[in-house]
Amino acid sequence: MTEVLSGLGAELNSIPTTKLRLASGNGPITRTVLKTPLRDADASEIPIIDISGIFSKSTTDRQNVARQVRDAATNNGFFYIQNHGIPSEVTDGAYRACLEFFRQPLEIKNQANSAKSRHFNGYKPRGSQRINPFESTDARESFSWTYDPKFDPEVADPSAIPHEVAQHLRCEDHHWNATSNLPHFQEAIVRYWRECLAVARELVKIFALSLDLPEEFFAAKFRYPDAALALNYYPPISSPRSPDDPDVQVSIGSHTDFQLFTMLWQDAVGGLQVLNRQGQWINAKPIPGTFVVNIADYLQRITNDRYVSTVHRAQNWSGLERISMPFFFGFSPNESCAVLDSCVGEGEEKKYDEITCIDWVKKRVAAMHQTGPAHTGA
């Protein structure tokens, strides 16, 4: 593949391109996309990293994982993790719970509708979200919820959480109460969330090591993390005749994620697509036993663009229903982090001002639920 990309680099000027517009925390941005056939990513673009070393007492083992993470984070910002310690019965149980919920009649699912929520927790029907204001509404259903300390094993007393943190928590129970007709739904989903949370807390240490920082450098910033979960159900859609057709239906539009990183479990159907550094759409195909991890915007900010928050989307052209379960991890909402000194080289400047995580996320979330006509202007 290296030879192919080298050849492609020499021919870039002769390959037709199109412009992709999408939202960001700093307003609309544009990416140039090559009109090349969609293909599967290879290991140089989205590597598979054995992260068993993050649980080792050996500093050498943890540093070995950190080096691989740094390489992936500075390349396309995507990688698979294997030997992560999350049992298959946990992911399988959550997957079955998703299918059981989403296969219900709409009127039953709507009892958990996020329109009844102050914080967008709960069920969102097809067409109720537009993650990219320049593309169609998303052809997906979802069920999402935000960090709730009563489910966090590391929080002994949620009532003792400091006010500066508690005021930003978006806890409520209506979405669980509204799914009580499925006795095992909450149990299966919370168990999955807890397993993801435990791995994410270890991965943050590895990210610190990868940036030549002490492992506990970020510890104080994610005691009560922004740890949200989305359950996505993608019905099949028709493959477009022209992928750059502005009126094409998307399963979920082109976007980058908000906070530090995302861990995604996906079923065997496939549909996740990543825009690589050359401007090609490539498939992040399902690999059994793995999660896909991708860098998000806030981590790109604090690394002064060293680590890459990469544009991605989902297109379910399989003819089958598809489930994905992304877990989003970031610092506590009240926390902030400036550009890290270790990421500013000699003669460089810090590109970004410091901003709290809650203010950063607010810039992005509200626009996702605007489902009017797609924007055509700047």
Side-chain angles (χ1 to χ4, degrees), residues 1-10 39 42 44-45 276 278 280:
M1 180 54 66
T2 302
E3 294 178 357
V4 172
L5 291 180
S6 298
L8 179 61
R39 61 173 176 80
D42 72 4
S44 70
E45 295 171 305
N276 71 9
Q278 289 72 37
Q280 293 177 298

Side-chain angles (χ1 to χ4, degrees), residues 114-312:
S114 65
K116 303 174 184 178
S117 164
R118 294 173 298 160
H119 308 298
F120 301 119
N121 290 313
Y123 173 67
K124 300 170 182 66
R126 177 172 177 166
S128 64
Q129 300 174 85
R130 187 196 299 274
I131 201 166
N132 184 352
F134 304 99
E135 296 176 332
S136 75
T137 54
D138 300 339
R140 62 168 171 145
E141 301 175 36
S142 67
F143 182 100
S144 59
W145 61 290
T146 51
Y147 176 77
D148 190 331
K150 70 173 174 279
F151 298 121
D152 186 346
E154 294 196 10
V155 177
D157 182 5
S159 67
I161 294 175
H163 173 71
E164 62 268 20
V165 177
Q167 66 179 329
H168 298 300
L169 297 180
R170 297 162 286 172
C171 309
E172 54 192 344
D173 291 319
H174 91 90
H175 48 293
W176 300 127
N177 296 335
T179 56
S180 60
N181 63 306
L182 303 176
H184 304 294
F185 179 76
Q186 179 180 347
E187 177 186 3
I189 300 308
V190 170
R191 187 182 179 196
Y192 172 80
W193 178 85
R194 282 176 169 160
E195 292 283 351
C196 290
L197 179 60
V199 173
R201 282 183 160 133
E202 296 303 316
L203 276 178
V204 171
K205 299 175 185 177
I206 298 303
F207 275 110
L209 275 181
S210 77
L211 294 164
D212 299 319
L213 299 169
E215 287 179 85
E216 300 297 331
F217 184 84
F218 297 120
K221 294 185 181 294
F222 61 90
R223 186 175 180 186
Y224 309 104
D226 184 353
L229 183 67
L231 312 172
N232 291 321
Y233 176 83
Y234 296 102
I237 60 174
S238 299
S239 178
R241 295 180 181 178
S242 174
D244 56 316
D245 182 348
D247 298 320
V248 71
Q249 175 68 69
V250 296
S251 292
I252 183 171
S254 309
H255 66 284
T256 55
D257 291 342
F258 302 165
Q259 262 264 31
L260 293 182
F261 59 86
T262 302
M263 294 170 48
L264 172 79
W265 183 92
Q266 57 178 332
D267 67 15
V269 172
L272 175 60
Q273 300 173 4
V274 176
L275 190 66
N276 71 9
R277 299 297 286 272
Q278 289 72 37
Q280 293 177 298
W281 283 113
I282 55 176
N283 290 317
K285 62 183 180 181
I287 298 178
T290 70
F291 281 70
V292 182
V293 176
N294 64 277
I295 306 303
D297 293 344
Y298 203 84
L299 185 52
Q300 176 169 311
R301 283 179 67 91
I302 67 175
T303 60
N304 218 33
D305 294 343
R306 291 283 199 278
Y307 286 8
V308 183
S309 179
T310 298
V311 177
H312 54 286

Side-chain angles (χ1 to χ4, degrees), residues 90-128:
V90 172
T91 53
D92 290 347
Y95 171 64
R96 289 192 299 269
C98 285
L99 290 178
E100 188 176 17
F101 174 79
F102 287 114
R103 287 172 174 173
Q104 296 180 111
L106 180 60
E107 60 268 23
I108 295 179
K109 291 181 287 189
N110 266 332
Q111 293 177 16
N113 197 297
S114 65
K116 303 174 184 178
S117 164
R118 294 173 298 160
H119 308 298
F120 301 119
N121 290 313
Y123 173 67
K124 300 170 182 66
R126 177 172 177 166
S128 64

Side-chain angles (χ1 to χ4, degrees), residues 38-86:
L38 183 68
R39 61 173 176 80
D40 292 342
D42 72 4
S44 70
E45 295 171 305
I46 307 180
I48 302 173
I49 301 177
D50 180 343
I51 67 164
S52 57
I54 72 175
F55 308 108
S56 170
K57 294 181 179 180
S58 165
T59 302
T60 300
D61 291 342
R62 299 194 301 275
Q63 288 176 334
N64 178 54
V65 177
R67 282 192 296 271
Q68 295 177 70
V69 167
R70 180 176 59 243
D71 289 345
T74 55
N75 183 17
N76 283 314
F78 268 76
F79 54 97
Y80 298 93
I81 57 173
Q82 64 181 8
N83 295 326
H84 41 70
I86 299 178

